[in-house]
Amino acid sequence: MESTPSLPSLERLIHDTDLEESQWIDFPEYGLRQYFLHKNPETGASIALLEFAPGGRIPIKHTHASNQFMYCLEGDYEYVDSEIRLRPGSFYMNPKDHPHGPTLAHTHSMLIEIYDGPHYYEIPEFHTADTIGDFVAKRADEGTD
């Protein structure tokens, strides 16, 4: 019986012990760190870990250019205006273009955040081109005269 040669796998497995400290993006003025587990440069979709210190926050109401999904691994994280609180085991979905925020971490919080496309239409005040530039939606009129 002949065996079929193995094809390279496109699967990816990351353990918490594989997280490289240098790959965390730090936002000290907001008490937030972000670690991208997956980025799709073609669609802008991504999966990231968000770690908030107690009192960490997103300071403004904002919208996203795609659907946002979050799952709380630990902590107590609140969308202040809507009084939605994520605690361990909570799943949150925010549809594209829906205004939400500001947010506040009442305790140390760790969340998984997923976008099914680009994060923003324009870079918000709590990001820079270096931290989120690849995840800003391309406008339909870009590249035309």
Side-chain angles (χ1 to χ4, degrees):
M1 179 178 208
E2 240 177 85
S3 64
T4 306
S6 295
L7 296 175
S9 177
L10 298 176
E11 300 166 320
R12 186 169 179 206
L13 177 64
I14 302 171
H15 292 281
D16 60 352
T17 56
D18 297 332
L19 302 181
E20 297 177 35
E21 190 60 35
S22 65
Q23 296 301 304
W24 282 94
I25 302 169
D26 198 18
F27 302 89
E29 62 274 25
Y30 303 111
L32 162 65
R33 294 188 332 150
Q34 182 178 40
Y35 193 102
F36 283 102
L37 299 168
H38 173 74
K39 294 179 179 181
N40 184 323
E42 294 168 11
T43 66
S46 67
I47 302 171
L49 289 174
L50 299 180
E51 181 179 44
F52 286 90
R57 71 209 189 309
I58 300 298
I60 60 170
K61 185 175 284 249
H62 59 283
T63 60
H64 294 290
S66 64
N67 297 306
Q68 175 192 32
F69 308 90
M70 296 179 83
Y71 185 82
C72 183
L73 298 171
E74 65 181 80
D76 183 355
Y77 184 75
E78 181 178 14
Y79 285 84
V80 178
D81 282 1
S82 60
E83 298 180 351
I84 292 174
R85 287 178 92 148
L86 283 72
R87 294 186 175 100
S90 297
F91 172 78
Y92 169 83
M93 187 275 185
N94 181 56
K96 175 182 176 179
D97 297 324
H98 183 263
H100 62 291
T103 68
L104 174 65
H106 293 279
T107 64
H108 175 266
S109 298
M110 183 72 76
L111 305 127
I112 296 173
E113 181 178 52
I114 301 167
Y115 289 94
D116 61 5
H119 295 201
Y120 303 102
Y121 295 108
E122 296 177 357
I123 298 172
E125 71 179 50
F126 48 90
H127 270 292
T128 67
D130 289 337
T131 62
I132 204 70
D134 293 339
F135 296 94
V136 175
K138 305 272 190 280
R139 300 230 180 252
D141 60 353
E142 277 186 15
T144 61
D145 292 327

